[in-house]
Amino acid sequence: MTKVIGAPPPEQPTPPTAAEELDQALAHAWIVAAEIKVEERVAKLADFRGSFTTVAGTRVDALEVYCRNCRRPYEDVAEDDCEALIDNRHLIGGDQTQRAKRKIPQPPSNARIVPGGVIQRRGIGAYVSGVSRPAR
């Protein structure tokens, strides 16, 4: 690096203040679920690698636009702050202490419960019996 005599020193970036950090934390990170028509060879590559490259000028149909952090749709929360760091209970179905407990169904009065056999879910026995491999 060369120094120029008499030149002012380069400006150092200033660290963000607490208010700026809070504004950044409350900002939405918008992402788009998209649909792109591709050829069979590109589809095969995308399936194998999990990504692919498109050519310039490819039109992309947006299926949904939502925030990556709070997972809420753009049209619902575009003017609001992101609530992912504040309160994320909406992702788990609300406040767990306020939700009703699951009801266990009662068998009919004339029903008799018969214990079933033991199902082997691990090991070679499970593989041979078809428990651990997908049905074709």
Side-chain angles (χ1 to χ4, degrees):
M1 181 171 151
T2 60
K3 285 189 175 183
V4 178
I5 299 174
E11 291 187 28
Q12 298 294 327
T14 59
T17 64
E20 289 174 345
E21 285 181 358
L22 182 62
D23 287 344
Q24 289 174 356
L26 296 177
H28 289 282
W30 299 114
I31 57 176
V32 176
E35 194 172 86
I36 303 171
K37 191 172 189 176
V38 295
E39 300 170 0
E40 185 174 346
R41 66 176 185 79
V42 176
K44 184 177 180 181
L45 180 70
D47 183 51
F48 178 71
R49 290 199 174 154
S51 66
F52 66 97
T53 305
T54 62
V55 296
T58 302
R59 177 144 179 96
V60 179
D61 296 328
L63 300 177
E64 184 180 10
V65 179
Y66 59 96
C67 177
R68 168 177 265 161
N69 300 330
C70 66
R71 300 285 189 197
R72 303 204 40 209
Y74 179 82
E75 62 268 7
D76 292 349
V77 294
E79 289 81 28
D80 302 333
D81 290 334
C82 183
E83 296 177 354
L85 295 179
I86 299 168
D87 185 8
N88 224 359
R89 281 184 256 170
H90 64 278
L91 295 178
I92 58 171
D95 187 5
Q96 299 296 308
T97 61
Q98 302 296 323
R99 292 175 61 192
K101 300 294 181 189
R102 290 191 178 126
K103 296 178 181 164
I104 299 172
Q106 295 294 324
S109 60
N110 61 352
R112 199 176 81 189
I113 298 176
V114 179
V118 177
I119 299 173
Q120 179 63 21
R121 289 187 161 84
R122 291 182 174 76
I124 191 71
Y127 182 78
V128 172
S129 66
V131 172
S132 63
R133 48 191 166 120
R136 296 198 184 246

